[in-house]
Amino acid sequence: MPETSRRPVAIESVLAEYGRLVENALDRYLPPEDAPPADVHRAMRYSVFAGGKRLRPILVIAAAEVAGAPPEAVLPSACAVELIHTYSLIHDDLPSMDDSAVRRGRPTCHVVFGEALAVLAGDALHAHAFELLARNADARGCTPARVLRSVRELTAGIGSEGMVGGQVLDLLAAGAASPAHPGEPDARPWNGGGPEAAVREIHRLKTGALIRASLRIGAVLAGAAEDDVRALDRYGESLGLAFQIVDDILDVVGESGKLGKGTGGDARHFKVTFPGIVGLERSRRLAEEATRDAVRALAPLGARGARLDELARYLLERDR
Ligand code: IPE
Ligand code: IPE
Ligand code: MG
Ligand code: MG
Ligand code: MG
């Protein structure tokens, strides 16, 4: 069998195996649906168990694997980043943000449970994430110092200088680009840089920061050498860019049935995206380039980086 047709099968089965581990662990860690107040637990579980790709927890596990640790050594923290990611999606979909009606193949959390419960379900997932990071201290071989470091990695990745900061820039850029709210040049987040630099910065923060944090957390908890953490961080930076460029492309050319979310929303909401700024063809080339950069960043890891190499190539070709 030629190598190109063998590769996706191998990585797909790894993703399925890690995905199952994460799925089962999430079910154990989250409060049951009927625990009071049941409304919020129902909303949390509704959004978490709606069939996401589980990319970020898989990155935690794969990074730990690079440092020689088994999935069990990082499973609570892997689930923590998935809870953060799910909270970010619930809030991202709110009418005051991207106003999206479908997510992970279902009506969005606020459509089913109302806006107030959707906000609160997101808040609760955010809180539970930190409980799970702390719980990682119970894993065999894990030291309190590693757990503390993982807390710093996550807070840096998701705060105002990470994911939330990126979401803010995303909204400001859309506002400035909208004819209904013509932005003063000074109000534009790309003030000084130009639109391509701006969209890179938005993507680096809103998507790249949590992806990088996931890799760093997996590595740190597994006791990786600092050189390895740096290599994984560089991989994550390029992977995050490639991932969000592909997300932007799929919003234009993807099938909503496969994606599990609506398409065309970026253009409707004047989002500043790669296809919008450089066109589909150049966006595709830039996603390929970022994927190459990601793979190149793995070089110092030698054979230990093989799985992450496959994962980056696989994600470039995704349709969901
Ligand atoms: C969607 O993330 C939001 C982005 C940062 C692009 P995913 O494409 O990983 O969504 P799920 O988790 O599979 O639903
Ligand atoms: C979402 O980016 C990024 C975060 C949730 C932090 P998008 O707004 O492009 O994600 P989708 O397309 O709604 O999944
Ligand atoms: Mg958004
Ligand atoms: Mg969105
Ligand atoms: Mg998108």
Side-chain angles (χ1 to χ4, degrees):
M1 199 190 281
E3 203 190 357
T4 44
S5 59
R6 202 175 58 232
R7 176 173 284 139
V9 177
I11 188 70
E12 271 172 350
S13 64
V14 172
L15 296 182
E17 184 201 324
Y18 287 174
R20 255 193 315 276
L21 276 177
V22 170
E23 216 70 30
N24 292 335
L26 282 168
D27 191 35
R28 286 198 305 276
Y29 294 141
L30 279 174
E33 209 161 78
D34 54 3
D39 297 61
V40 76
H41 293 135
R42 230 180 288 127
M44 288 155 71
R45 283 182 164 265
Y46 174 86
S47 290
V48 170
F49 296 108
K53 292 182 287 297
R54 311 303 192 203
L55 168 64
R56 294 147 191 86
I58 286 168
L59 289 174
V60 175
I61 294 172
E65 192 183 40
V66 165
E72 296 71 38
V74 296
L75 206 46
S77 300
C79 292
V81 300
E82 182 62 21
L83 296 190
I84 292 288
H85 171 59
T86 304
Y87 121 70
S88 82
L89 297 179
I90 294 173
H91 286 191
D92 181 77
D93 289 335
L94 288 169
S96 53
M97 293 193 62
D98 291 357
D99 193 16
S100 303
V102 182
R103 170 68 66 185
R104 293 179 163 173
R106 298 177 170 185
T108 40
C109 193
H110 65 89
V111 167
V112 177
F113 298 93
E115 263 184 68
L117 264 179
V119 169
L120 292 167
D123 292 342
L125 291 172
H126 183 276
H128 273 281
F130 285 91
E131 188 212 336
L132 289 184
L133 280 192
R135 268 208 209 185
N136 218 303
D138 300 338
R140 199 144 54 91
C142 191
T143 64
R146 290 180 191 174
V147 172
L148 264 184
R149 169 100 181 258
S150 75
V151 172
R152 292 183 67 168
E153 298 291 354
L154 190 63
T155 48
I158 69 177
S160 55
E161 293 175 309
M163 184 181 78
V164 165
Q167 291 287 69
V168 171
L169 292 183
D170 174 282
L171 292 177
L172 288 176
S178 156
H181 306 279
E184 296 296 316
D186 283 350
R188 296 181 178 218
W190 56 86
N191 190 19
E196 192 180 319
V199 73
R200 274 179 193 272
E201 181 64 0
I202 292 169
H203 289 17
R204 185 178 75 80
L205 292 173
K206 79 171 183 179
T207 301
L210 181 58
I211 285 179
R212 282 167 79 177
S214 301
L215 289 152
R216 295 176 66 93
I217 287 167
V220 162
L221 288 174
E226 282 309 315
D227 280 353
D228 288 355
V229 178
R230 265 191 296 278
L232 290 166
D233 182 71
R234 275 196 291 271
Y235 167 79
E237 178 157 21
S238 296
L239 185 78
L241 177 62
F243 189 78
Q244 186 60 47
I245 297 175
V246 171
D247 183 80
D248 288 354
I249 293 173
L250 291 172
D251 189 74
V252 181
V253 305
E255 285 174 44
S256 56
K258 279 188 182 151
L259 288 168
K261 58 187 181 184
T263 54
D266 289 343
R268 265 197 312 282
H269 293 110
F270 305 98
K271 291 290 185 182
V272 174
T273 65
F274 271 87
I277 282 167
V278 302
L280 274 174
E281 213 173 291
R282 182 162 155 76
S283 296
R284 185 71 203 163
R285 279 205 303 280
L286 290 175
E288 286 163 4
E289 199 178 293
T291 301
R292 271 197 302 277
D293 289 345
V295 167
R296 227 177 274 131
L298 296 170
L301 303 176
R304 290 179 299 140
R307 192 154 277 170
L308 289 169
D309 175 323
E310 286 184 45
L311 179 60
R313 296 171 201 268
Y314 171 79
L315 289 174
L316 179 65
E317 304 302 332
R318 71 199 169 92
D319 59 7
R320 60 180 284 263

